[in-house]
Amino acid sequence: MNSPRPLAGARQVRRATDGDTLGALRSLQHAMLESVATGRPLAEVMDLLCRSVEAIEPEVICSVLAVDRSSRLRHLSSPSLPQHYIEAIDGLPVGPMAGSCGTAAYLGHPVAVSDIAADPLWADYRQFALPIGLRACWSSPIKSSTGRVIGTLALYRRTTGAPEAFDHDIVESCLHHCAIAIEHEETRRRVSELAFRDALTGLHNRASFQAEAEQALRVVAAGVGAAAIHYIDLDDFKGVNDTLGHRVGDQLLEEAARRLIACAQYEEMVARLGGDEFAVIQPAVASRTEVDTLAARIVAAFEAPFDIEDNRIRIGASVGIAMAPADGCDLVAILRKADLALYEAKGEGRGRYRFFTPEIDAALQRRRVLEHDLRLATEARAFELRYQPIVHLHTGATVAVEALLRWNHPVRGVVSPTEFIAAAEDTGLIEEIGEWALVEACRAAVAWRSEVKVSVNLSCRQFRRAGLLQDIVRALERTGLPPHRLELEITESVILSKSPAVGRTLRDLRAMGVCIVLDDFGTGYSSLSYLRTFPFSKIKIDRSFIADLTSRPDCAAIVRAIIALARDLGIRTTAEGIETAEQLEILREEGCIEGQGYLFGRPMPAADVASLFGAGLSGAGLSGAGHRGAANDAPPRAAGAGSRGI
Ligand code: C2E
Ligand code: MG
Ligand code: MG
């Protein structure tokens, strides 16, 4: 094909004409360097060498072999040797009795065989050489700059005999340049490998993944079989990085990569797309069961803990799957769908896998619209706070009101926070909304001219801000609300973030006189140990326990235990979601101090709150004051117009 022509003038040079030969060799060296420098393929550089040597010395046949990482000879160039001989030599192992080249590579010094027919080094190979007239072979190792044997340069002759001094000159002048060319190629390969490999885990990187995925999808698009893409994300990896440091995080990723590799079959490609995101391409899928099996294997592979530097870390993996052609054959679309399925898997509780479905897509579209609307609402300040009384269960007095966010949506009307807080947290909008709610609640509370406290919910996302404490201090100063009238409700997720800053912020707030309330107790991990370590003034028993209080003995037992525990720790308890007199009765008997629920009042506008004060609930709270609730937060809203609660 593109075989290079020997150097001009080389053919005219005859042996032992020293001046011309040296000149030709120098030109050859120069030409080789130039070829390497201009990026010519290695085989082409070596072809140039062989042809030029054979032109200088027409009695020899020149051959260059490389030695690969597994110590096998690899054909590089021997333009004058027949193809079947080349094939016979290619891949032979280096060794002490491996012909001239294999032995020279093994010993690391030149091996001269003056009679191939008789020399024992050729015992296993002479059947290839003799029939094509090769009689003598002198091979020299090509060594890298560090002394490693990376190839051999051989001169064959058709007559028996030892190499001549002239042959030495040729070989001597070429070996170094051969080494440069081969090392250059090795470096080039390593660099290109790095470009397609993830440096930390050694897995394929995103670029490599995309190329492979596109190839797999092309095959499917051509009507052949099916393929699956598994998107994998480690659950809570960020937490490991944040708490145990990046070194442990890196080791965890390396181990994760090993586990994924172990899950995959030969033709399945595992890649790291970045961070803790991985992907597996499963080409040529025969049935959905195969895809199920792989996904289940991946999830199961992360069930065992990771032992890293004396830490036993439990970290699951969630998998989202999209399939071609069912979900399309366009890579961008497939990846988006796999990502959506992953999002769904995470949302469903992590450590599981999900296939993409059109419903997932629809849910996401809704979510997008929601996020978009929420952004507009934040700019337009389309929020409002409603306040729900928290009463003393024995005196019936309102001791606090909880500020609950409402979004006045132009089309949907009043939207409950359960529908938008998660989106506000994911988008980060909660920081702005939360700050607004805090100031607004403080301002409203000051206007009530009462000692009643106002309770504000804080999202765990707000704790990520460095300035949260200052925000709260500023809100109190700006509005003039005394700190002891402010309660902040946080959920267990705040504490589980394990950030030392959280503990500090909570303690500082407590020191200022602000009450810290643990909201929705019993729903999360509910480790009792942090009741000791964090300065809670109060815990709120989640309303799911109260709802089942009268029907399920286990709920009653849990509620009883929480109340007793809190009492022993000197922490007040508030029962959430009290709707019936029976529930109230049980809670009072068990010693619960405060309660909140429709029985006492629904969330109401700020203006209605003032009317609560002074009016004890001794009668109202116990005798169906709940009708008041309809006046406020419950649909239909019109029913509440003008009604003033108690
Ligand atoms: P939460 O803090 O546990 O608030 C109590 C929720 O229970 C409120 O729902 C309240 O309306 C409802 N509730 C009160 N009494 C009863 C009852 O007797 N029966 C029933 N079935 N429900 C009752 P809401 O207002 O929809 O708020 C839901 C959650 O949204 C809140 O739960 C809180 O976690 C979050 N949230 C509300 N406002 C804010 C806010 O300003 N910031 C943040 N970060 N989260 C908020
Ligand atoms: Mg709350
Ligand atoms: Mg709650």
Side-chain angles (χ1 to χ4, degrees):
M1 286 198 310
N2 246 343
S3 45
R5 295 214 313 275
L7 291 177
R11 191 162 291 285
Q12 290 87 324
V13 183
R14 306 305 308 161
R15 54 187 310 203
T17 50
D18 292 79
D20 287 351
T21 308
L22 286 177
L25 287 173
R26 227 169 282 127
S27 306
L28 170 59
Q29 290 175 336
H30 182 75
M32 285 178 75
L33 285 182
E34 197 171 76
S35 297
V36 170
T38 53
R40 308 307 304 164
L42 181 61
E44 200 177 289
V45 179
M46 293 309 177
D47 274 0
L48 169 75
L49 165 79
C50 290
R51 289 180 198 282
S52 300
V53 166
E54 289 170 4
I56 295 169
E57 174 65 345
E59 284 92 65
V60 303
I61 292 169
C62 185
S63 164
V64 190
L65 302 176
V67 175
D68 71 13
R69 297 258 164 206
S70 57
S71 289
R72 289 182 181 274
L73 300 173
R74 292 290 168 196
H75 174 257
L76 280 180
S77 172
S78 31
S80 304
L81 288 175
Q83 189 59 30
H84 68 268
Y85 183 77
I86 290 171
E87 279 167 16
I89 298 294
D90 192 43
L92 288 179
V94 162
M97 297 291 285
S100 303
C101 295
T103 311
Y106 180 77
L107 298 174
H109 58 68
V111 170
V113 170
S114 51
D115 186 358
I116 288 176
D119 198 305
L121 290 186
W122 277 81
D124 293 338
Y125 309 105
R126 62 174 65 101
Q127 76 270 25
F128 305 119
L130 296 177
I132 55 169
L134 302 178
R135 288 291 175 270
C137 179
W138 181 46
S139 181
S140 301
I142 302 167
K143 293 186 181 175
S144 72
S145 47
T146 57
R148 183 167 54 89
V149 177
I150 53 177
T152 58
L153 171 58
L155 300 182
Y156 289 88
R157 284 178 179 277
R158 294 198 163 82
T159 53
T160 55
E164 299 173 12
F166 182 71
D167 297 343
H168 281 278
D169 290 345
I170 294 179
V171 168
E172 272 309 306
S173 61
C174 295
L175 277 179
H176 181 56
H177 289 72
C178 287
I180 291 174
I182 296 175
E183 278 199 291
H184 183 82
E185 171 70 9
E186 282 188 352
T187 309
R188 197 189 58 76
R189 276 199 196 175
R190 235 187 348 262
V191 169
S192 87
E193 191 147 278
L194 280 180
F196 288 99
R197 289 275 172 182
D198 171 55
L200 176 67
T201 60
L203 293 179
H204 292 272
N205 65 11
R206 187 181 281 273
S208 188
F209 165 79
Q210 279 186 343
E212 184 80 9
E214 265 164 13
Q215 173 60 24
L217 293 178
R218 262 196 298 275
V219 171
V220 174
V224 183
I229 303 255
H230 301 245
Y231 239 22
I232 302 145
D233 192 277
L234 305 189
D235 301 328
D236 304 319
F237 175 73
K238 194 179 166 299
V240 172
N241 243 355
D242 289 351
T243 53
L244 300 174
H246 288 262
R247 212 180 53 179
V248 172
D250 281 357
Q251 290 178 56
L252 193 141
L253 290 173
E254 288 175 72
E255 173 62 15
R258 281 191 285 275
R259 292 190 187 184
L260 287 173
I261 287 279
C263 290
Q265 311 227 324
Y266 178 71
E267 69 283 0
E268 294 162 357
M269 182 209 243
V270 183
R272 180 175 171 222
L273 304 182
D276 60 341
E277 259 180 59
F278 298 85
V280 179
I281 304 170
Q282 199 175 9
V285 171
S287 70
R288 181 164 154 145
T289 321
E290 276 181 18
V291 185
D292 262 305
T293 308
L294 175 59
R297 219 179 311 136
I298 292 171
V299 169
F302 284 81
E303 274 162 14
F306 290 73
D307 289 318
I308 296 167
E309 291 189 359
D310 299 331
N311 300 294
R312 172 151 286 208
I313 305 164
R314 291 191 181 273
I315 201 159
S318 301
V319 185
I321 307 157
M323 290 189 64
D327 301 321
C329 288
D330 169 62
L331 181 60
V332 174
I334 287 271
L335 291 184
R336 193 183 71 87
K337 289 173 177 176
D339 196 30
L340 294 183
L342 172 64
Y343 189 78
E344 184 77 5
K346 290 226 161 217
E348 280 176 17
R350 292 142 195 258
R352 53 189 78 202
Y353 66 92
R354 281 289 162 267
F355 282 84
F356 171 80
T357 61
E359 294 75 54
I360 292 181
D361 208 14
L364 195 93
Q365 297 300 345
R366 281 199 299 278
R367 177 67 181 246
R368 287 244 172 80
V369 171
L370 178 69
E371 288 183 2
H372 172 77
D373 286 0
L374 204 50
R375 246 185 214 108
L376 296 181
T378 308
E379 281 165 23
R381 296 262 185 267
F383 299 102
E384 182 194 334
L385 289 177
R386 296 280 169 94
Y387 300 87
Q388 187 178 29
I390 299 171
V391 304
H392 193 286
L393 292 186
H394 295 274
T395 67
T398 299
V399 289
V401 286
E402 179 174 6
L404 294 159
L405 203 55
R406 296 292 177 267
W407 172 12
N408 294 316
H409 191 281
V411 180
R412 296 168 59 194
V414 179
V415 185
S416 151
T418 47
E419 288 185 54
F420 68 83
I421 291 286
E425 285 178 339
D426 287 354
T427 50
L429 290 169
I430 192 68
E431 292 186 15
E432 205 177 315
I433 301 172
E435 201 189 335
W436 172 84
L438 182 70
V439 174
E440 184 65 21
C442 291
R443 184 174 294 134
V446 169
W448 294 325
R449 301 186 190 286
S450 154
E451 270 306 290
V452 84
K453 294 171 193 268
V454 69
S455 205
V456 180
N457 292 280
L458 284 186
S459 146
C460 84
R461 173 87 192 227
Q462 288 172 271
F463 278 85
R464 282 209 228 147
R465 272 165 69 93
L468 177 65
L469 182 66
Q470 286 88 315
D471 288 347
I472 297 167
V473 171
R474 212 175 316 120
L476 291 170
E477 284 172 359
R478 266 172 57 190
T479 58
L481 185 75
H484 73 267
R485 287 191 57 204
L486 179 64
E487 293 184 338
L488 295 172
E489 299 195 4
I490 61 167
T491 53
E492 284 164 325
S493 56
V494 172
I495 296 149
L496 286 171
S497 69
K498 288 204 182 103
S499 148
V502 168
R504 222 175 307 126
T505 305
L506 294 181
R507 267 179 277 276
D508 287 351
L509 287 167
R510 185 75 197 259
M512 283 163 52
V514 174
C515 295
I516 308 296
V517 179
L518 181 56
D519 203 357
D520 302 342
F521 188 77
T523 51
Y525 294 81
S526 297
S527 160
L528 298 176
S529 64
Y530 55 61
L531 289 181
R532 269 190 313 117
T533 41
F534 285 91
F536 293 110
S537 325
K538 190 155 113 170
I539 56 181
K540 295 180 86 170
I541 306 167
D542 191 69
R543 68 169 186 266
S544 57
F545 295 102
I546 310 303
D548 294 334
L549 200 55
T550 48
S551 58
R552 285 179 49 183
D554 55 338
C555 280
I558 291 172
V559 169
R560 192 175 309 124
I562 296 174
I563 294 169
L565 177 81
R567 193 174 39 225
D568 290 349
L569 291 170
I571 302 173
R572 274 178 297 146
T573 38
T574 303
E576 295 182 326
I578 305 176
E579 293 184 358
T580 67
E582 294 97 291
Q583 290 166 345
L584 171 64
E585 207 44 52
I586 296 175
L587 288 162
R588 289 170 78 175
E589 273 167 22
E590 295 300 345
C592 184
I593 298 171
E594 295 174 5
Q596 178 179 359
Y598 296 165
L599 181 65
F600 311 114
R602 294 196 179 235
M604 60 189 81
D608 294 356
V609 176
S611 61
L612 294 174
F613 309 136
L617 285 173
S618 44
L622 301 177
S623 59
H627 72 272
R628 173 177 72 233
N632 293 294
D633 211 13
R637 293 185 67 215
S643 170
R644 278 296 167 118
I646 315 182

